[in-house]
Amino acid sequence: MKISVVGLGYLGAVHAACMARLGHDVVGVDVDPAKVEALAAGRSPFFEPGLDELLAEVAATGRLTVSTRIEDVAGAEVHFLCVGTPQRADGFAADLAFVDAAVDSLVPHVGTGAVVVGKSTVPVGTASRLADRVAAARPGAVLAWNPEFLREGLAVKDTLHPDRLVYGVPDGAAGESAVSVLDEVYASPLAEGVPRIVTDYPTAELVKVAANSFLATKISFINAMAELCEVAGGDVTRLADAIGHDVRIGRRFLNAGLGFGGGCLPKDIRAFMARADELGAGEAVAFLGEVDAINTRRRARMVELAVEVLGGSVDGAEITVLGAAFKPDSDDVRDSPALAVAARLSEMGAVVTVHDPQAIDNARVKAPDLRYEHDLEAALAGADAVLVLTEWRQYKELDAERAGSLVAQRTVLDGRNALDRSVWQAAGWQYRALGRR
Ligand code: UGA
């Protein structure tokens, strides 16, 4: 099929490359010349495992082109909207400026009979508003809402082999034709048996925010238990293992620590609360306020712990922060818990050195006043305390003995419960972690 992808960020660039990999002819469009330039040269504009290899593979087929000119989408049978919906500067609601601008620029180039497919995470009600705009500008064109569930770090796999496909479509013949077009787009995953759920617009929009709200709630639940473990002398990692054996609960997404960050979970639960309020149903999701508060308290607790192990003040202390990305296998620092803790400690007078295998460039833009070190051993040298705040494999595999020979004091705070406590203690480290004695 001929496909266009509008917006080439973490979602759109991966989607465009994966659609080409599935055999479609794809044109990707973004207003940012730097992203387009990188992709045109076959390079990913951000770190995502497997994406560079995939771009090289599809470049050889000639099935992916990229452009800054929206008119280049003309002739596509399917147009995917993949632009961002960040939190608004003035409150919790989602900022739809990019979605609205993308639709405005796109519709003049949409052919009659084409399908415009929204993938961005939007407040419920957005699709029906946009459907009217698409229909008014281009009679015969249809809008579908097809939320995306990919995880950064696993984005290629999640796009090629999703665990479900959700199509939000209008009633009647228009909806039926959108379903058959999407079935053709996703013929390969559907042939693998991926479940497909066809529904109306509001349900499709709500599926996405419901899924992210559930995941955020699961993380904050275990972090609330971590708070209890801290005061009662328990161990949240053992607690998670024990409750996780109940298949109704499950062990995944029960890793206690510094909590969730990134460009999705935090802003999505806030936008959901804002939208529910507008609809007069704020009470139904008021608990997400608590989910958010538990999450933020973990960052404050980590700062407190650093103050405690450094004898009551971090002023002048040399602190090494391992991790700046919001999670491993990503260079994304949006709402990164690690970077927030590093910045707070620096404000409190600590001399903070941050290491990250991939996210230093992005972190430097967000927090220019911190010290950054690309070499892990150099970052550890002379530290009064080491804080592991993103669970990169490199950190889990650190040799406690070797690391101990580099630091000034063998004190480690494990913000992700990622290290083997007994090994670090045996190497003479004072080991502290969130939710554990
Ligand atoms: C999340 C969802 O998992 C995806 O399904 C969704 O498509 C995506 O948002 C989106 O809306 O686009 P992502 O933001 O890539 O994906 O990251 P997650 O893997 O969900 O992790 C989110 C945060 O939770 C990270 O900061 C991670 O460290 C934290 N986390 C995760 C925990 O603190 N504990 C856990 O047990 C799991």
Side-chain angles (χ1 to χ4, degrees):
M1 301 192 89
K2 282 177 73 66
I3 288 178
S4 88
V5 175
V6 180
L8 297 173
Y10 286 97
L11 162 61
V14 175
H15 193 68
C18 288
M19 291 302 103
R21 170 73 177 67
L22 293 182
H24 304 300
D25 277 325
V26 183
V27 56
V29 179
D30 199 290
V31 292
D32 179 356
K35 281 199 189 100
V36 169
E37 206 175 296
L39 287 164
R43 270 185 293 111
S44 170
F46 46 84
F47 176 73
E48 178 61 46
L51 184 53
D52 276 327
E53 293 80 352
L54 180 61
L55 287 169
E57 188 188 328
V58 298
T61 68
R63 285 198 300 259
L64 174 64
T65 54
V66 285
S67 168
T68 51
R69 292 191 316 258
I70 190 71
E71 54 272 28
D72 290 345
V73 306
E77 301 148 88
V78 185
H79 303 274
F80 283 103
L81 285 172
C82 294
V83 295
T85 51
Q87 185 175 335
R88 284 175 63 104
D90 60 1
F92 272 11
D95 184 350
L96 294 178
F98 299 117
V99 171
D100 284 318
V103 170
D104 283 343
S105 66
L106 176 67
V107 285
H109 310 287
V110 171
T112 307
V115 184
V116 177
V117 184
K119 290 197 85 64
S120 310
T121 303
V122 290
V124 58
T126 305
S128 92
R129 175 171 70 78
L130 297 178
D132 292 344
R133 259 159 75 186
V134 170
R138 192 60 66 195
V142 190
L143 181 93
W145 215 263
N146 169 221
E148 179 56 57
F149 306 104
L150 68 79
R151 295 159 291 176
E152 286 177 30
L154 295 164
V156 173
K157 177 188 155 285
D158 284 353
T159 306
L160 292 173
H161 310 282
D163 50 18
R164 77 284 209 191
L165 288 163
V166 174
Y167 306 167
V169 295
D171 291 338
E176 282 166 25
S177 89
V179 169
S180 56
V181 168
L182 283 169
D183 279 352
E184 209 176 325
V185 170
Y186 295 122
S188 162
L190 288 170
E192 286 172 5
V194 169
R196 183 200 72 169
I197 291 141
V198 178
T199 179
D200 49 37
Y201 290 144
T203 307
E205 294 166 308
L206 285 168
V207 165
K208 171 66 197 218
V209 281
N212 276 2
S213 297
F214 192 89
L215 294 171
T217 303
K218 200 166 177 190
I219 298 167
S220 277
F221 175 82
I222 200 64
N223 281 333
M225 297 306 108
E227 289 189 19
L228 262 304
C229 285
E230 279 157 20
V231 291
D235 184 325
V236 74
T237 63
R238 306 296 293 149
L239 183 146
D241 291 342
I243 64 171
H245 280 301
D246 182 332
V247 289
R248 294 170 303 173
I249 297 172
R251 180 65 179 78
R252 295 175 72 187
F253 260 67
L254 274 188
N255 295 322
L258 207 46
F260 57 83
C264 302
L265 263 43
K267 64 106 177 155
D268 285 355
I269 61 169
R270 292 175 196 148
F272 197 12
M273 286 186 275
R275 184 62 183 138
D277 263 340
E278 282 170 11
L279 294 169
E283 276 186 2
V285 290
F287 70 94
L288 291 175
E290 202 51 51
V291 167
D292 202 7
I294 293 165
N295 195 51
T296 314
R297 278 206 299 274
R298 292 288 77 192
R299 302 177 189 192
R301 175 68 188 136
M302 180 44 87
V303 170
E304 254 175 46
L305 212 52
V307 171
E308 193 185 312
V309 296
L310 288 162
S313 166
V314 296
D315 198 16
E318 299 266 351
I319 295 181
T320 297
V321 166
L322 299 184
F326 84 104
K327 69 179 215 180
D329 294 324
S330 172
D331 65 358
D332 194 347
V333 298
R334 288 176 293 171
D335 209 336
S336 164
L339 207 52
V341 168
R344 180 72 195 117
L345 290 169
S346 168
E347 278 164 20
M348 292 165 74
V351 181
V352 180
T353 302
V354 179
H355 176 273
D356 190 284
Q358 294 292 340
I360 288 184
D361 290 349
N362 288 340
R364 212 190 286 277
V365 173
K366 274 258 161 76
D369 296 336
L370 300 175
R371 294 202 323 201
Y372 293 95
E373 178 53 65
H374 286 274
D375 181 79
L376 181 51
E377 294 209 341
L380 290 169
D384 296 315
V386 177
L387 276 55
V388 180
L389 303 186
T390 311
E391 67 278 34
W392 284 95
R393 187 180 43 80
Q394 289 88 324
Y395 307 152
K396 292 199 226 173
E397 289 174 358
L398 258 178
D399 180 337
E401 200 50 68
R402 169 83 191 139
S405 70
L406 301 167
V407 297
Q409 277 187 69
R410 295 191 180 204
T411 298
V412 64
L413 304 189
D414 185 357
R416 293 289 180 182
N417 286 303
L419 307 179
D420 186 333
R421 173 170 65 182
S422 53
V423 170
W424 285 73
Q425 284 176 336
W429 286 76
Q430 179 193 6
Y431 173 97
R432 298 289 300 271
L434 293 171
R436 300 169 86 182
R437 261 177 295 146

